[in-house]
């Protein structure tokens, strides 16, 4: 367990993500930079669930885990921490909740399971999300403007105002799988466009997510109990360890493709891959899991 080791401070967080510029301005340039640095430094991962540990909605514990403990976290940790960072820096920031789209059900999940942040800068609203992971991870915040195409290296994101809620969609590059043995892998997304999640603009406090956090760690039908995931964005794409399968993805937007290099990792190499490819150090033994699920990389 990651217990408190002194007060949280921004300088430690900035060192963790490699942010070295002045942080006195709560402007869009600064927001874009720390958002991108965060997703390329702190993994999206749920490994605690598969190491016999618990994820706890306590900011001190999350700070020590993600900033001081060479670990990543899921959205309830990463985005909760990121919201604190933004407020400490002087950004006008509101916590929101969202429901993730389930492609098997063909509908959004039955409850809000994803935490995101809304940021207001010079009267304009942006959605910041540093913890969805894999190919759906935005590198920079999105303008809260309906039906505007917002291209990023991963593809084109679009927010749509449906009246009672906002919906996030993404258009993907075509996958090019280098390894013939993975040509039919269910982990690979082959859809040109996907709905990612929906949300309202109703502010949420941390107490709203307490039961959600507990439920996501216990529900035997939940994604997070059925797959062990560690994902980190890179300057050229992202890498992910899903169960025993390691994938390195390179975006080539000029060609409209993403190149996917996949391999299976033996049990005795899992910790080495996590340490060398994600800079993740585990305190307890990981039991990898990769049951069938709607989740793809």
């Amino acid at each position: 367990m990651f217990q408190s080791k002194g007060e949280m401070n921004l300088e430690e967080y900035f060192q963790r993500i490699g942010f070295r510029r002045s942080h006195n301005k709560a402007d869009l340039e600064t927001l874009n930079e720390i958002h991108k640095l965060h997703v390329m430094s702190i993994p999206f991962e749920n490994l605690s669930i598969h190491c016999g540990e618990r994820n706890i909605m306590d900011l001190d514990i999350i700070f020590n885990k993600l900033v001081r403990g060479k670990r990543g976290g899921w959205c309830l940790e990463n985005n909760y921490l990121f919201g604190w960072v933004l407020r400490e820096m002087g950004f006008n920031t509101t916590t929101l909740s969202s429901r993730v789209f389930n492609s098997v059900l063909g509908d959004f999940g039955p409850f809000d399971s994803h935490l995101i942040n809304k940021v207001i800068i010079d009267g304009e609203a942006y959605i910041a999300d540093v913890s969805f992971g894999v190919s759906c991870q935005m590198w920079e915040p999105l303008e809260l403007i309906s039906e505007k195409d917002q291209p990023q290296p991963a593809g084109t994101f679009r927010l749509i105002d449906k009246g009672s809620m906002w919906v996030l969609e993404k258009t993907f590059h075509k996958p090019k799988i280098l390894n013939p043995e993975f040509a039919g892998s269910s982990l690979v997304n082959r859809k040109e466009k996907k709905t990612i999640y929906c949300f309202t603009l109703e502010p949420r406090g941390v107490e709203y997510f307490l039961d959600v956090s507990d439920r996501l760690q216990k529900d035997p039908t939940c994604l997070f109990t059925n797959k062990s995931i560690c994902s980190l964005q890179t300057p050229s794409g992202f890498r992910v360890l899903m169960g025993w399968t390691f994938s390195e993805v390179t975006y080539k937007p000029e060609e409209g493709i993403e190149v996917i290099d996949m391999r299976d990792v033996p049990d005795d190499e899992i910790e080495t891959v996590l340490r060398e490819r994600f800079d993740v150090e585990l305190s307890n033994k990981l039991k990898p899991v990769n049951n069938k699920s709607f989740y793809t990389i």
Side-chain angles (χ1 to χ4, degrees):
M1 190 61 64
F2 296 85
Q3 301 297 336
S4 179
K5 300 176 183 177
E7 290 186 7
M8 302 182 297
N9 68 82
L10 283 176
E11 291 303 327
E12 282 188 86
Y13 171 80
F14 293 145
Q15 184 176 6
R16 173 76 165 96
I17 68 171
F19 180 67
R20 297 178 177 88
R21 289 197 306 107
S22 169
H23 55 270
N24 295 326
K25 291 185 178 180
D27 57 15
L28 182 58
E29 182 182 4
T30 301
L31 175 62
N32 286 342
E33 183 171 354
I34 62 171
H35 192 289
K36 188 174 182 178
L37 287 171
H38 186 116
V39 301
M40 294 192 181
S41 304
I42 303 180
F44 165 75
E45 53 106 329
N46 70 331
L47 302 181
S48 289
I49 297 174
H50 304 284
C51 290
E53 303 164 359
R54 300 292 295 169
N55 291 331
I56 300 174
M57 289 295 292
D58 180 287
L59 200 49
D60 285 326
I61 292 174
I62 292 171
F63 186 93
N64 282 297
K65 176 183 177 182
L66 275 61
V67 176
R68 295 168 175 154
K70 279 201 169 184
R71 287 290 303 275
W74 60 359
C75 74
L76 299 180
E77 297 169 299
N78 267 305
N79 279 324
Y80 186 20
L81 172 65
F82 195 64
W84 172 82
V85 169
L86 295 179
R87 292 182 184 92
E88 288 291 299
M89 294 179 69
F91 285 96
N92 180 353
T93 306
T94 304
T95 301
L96 306 178
S97 62
S98 65
R99 289 187 293 144
V100 177
F101 190 80
N102 185 316
S103 59
V104 175
L105 300 175
D107 199 357
F108 298 102
F111 63 96
D112 294 0
S113 61
H114 187 58
L115 188 158
I116 58 178
N117 289 291
K118 182 184 74 172
V119 187
I120 305 292
I121 300 175
D122 295 330
E124 303 294 331
Y126 300 86
I127 295 299
D129 183 351
V130 295
S131 196
F132 203 88
V134 293
S135 61
C136 289
Q137 179 60 60
M138 60 183 79
W139 287 8
E140 295 181 350
L142 300 176
E143 295 178 79
L144 191 62
I145 298 177
S146 185
E147 303 199 41
K148 177 182 178 178
D149 286 345
Q150 302 189 53
Q152 295 190 8
T156 300
F157 293 89
R158 175 184 281 199
L159 289 164
I160 303 171
D161 185 356
K162 297 284 189 178
S164 61
M165 63 181 179
W166 286 79
V167 173
L168 175 62
E169 294 180 348
K170 179 175 176 273
T171 301
F172 291 79
H173 307 308
K174 292 183 179 179
K176 180 180 179 180
I177 305 170
L178 296 180
N179 324 82
E181 64 271 29
F182 288 96
S185 173
S186 62
L187 293 178
V188 177
N189 170 62
R190 292 174 175 81
K191 294 182 178 180
E192 180 181 358
K193 182 180 290 187
K194 285 175 63 176
T195 301
I196 301 176
Y197 54 69
C198 70
F199 59 94
T200 70
L201 302 181
E202 182 177 355
R204 304 294 190 191
V206 63
E207 65 281 350
Y208 184 84
F209 299 96
L210 298 180
D211 288 341
V212 172
S213 176
D214 189 58
R215 181 172 180 175
L216 292 175
Q217 296 178 76
K218 293 180 178 179
D219 186 349
T221 67
C222 171
L223 163 70
F224 296 114
T225 60
N226 280 279
K227 288 186 184 295
S228 55
I229 305 165
C230 187
S231 165
L232 184 67
Q233 304 298 302
T234 70
S236 59
F238 69 92
R239 57 181 65 113
V240 57
L241 180 66
M242 187 93 69
W244 295 266
T245 303
F246 175 76
S247 303
E248 187 92 32
V249 179
T250 303
Y251 296 137
K252 295 194 174 182
E254 68 282 357
E255 301 177 37
I257 63 172
E258 53 186 48
V259 180
I260 306 175
D261 188 2
M262 308 179 78
R263 66 181 176 92
D264 284 331
V265 179
D267 276 321
D268 59 359
E269 295 180 19
I270 291 286
E271 290 187 7
T272 301
V273 168
L274 288 170
R275 183 173 58 254
E276 294 182 353
R277 306 301 285 162
F278 301 91
D279 194 27
V280 165
E281 296 276 3
L282 298 178
S283 301
N284 296 313
K285 182 70 175 176
L286 172 68
K287 295 181 179 179
V289 179
N290 190 17
N291 296 329
K292 287 185 177 181
S293 169
F294 63 89
Y295 193 73
T296 60
I297 64 170

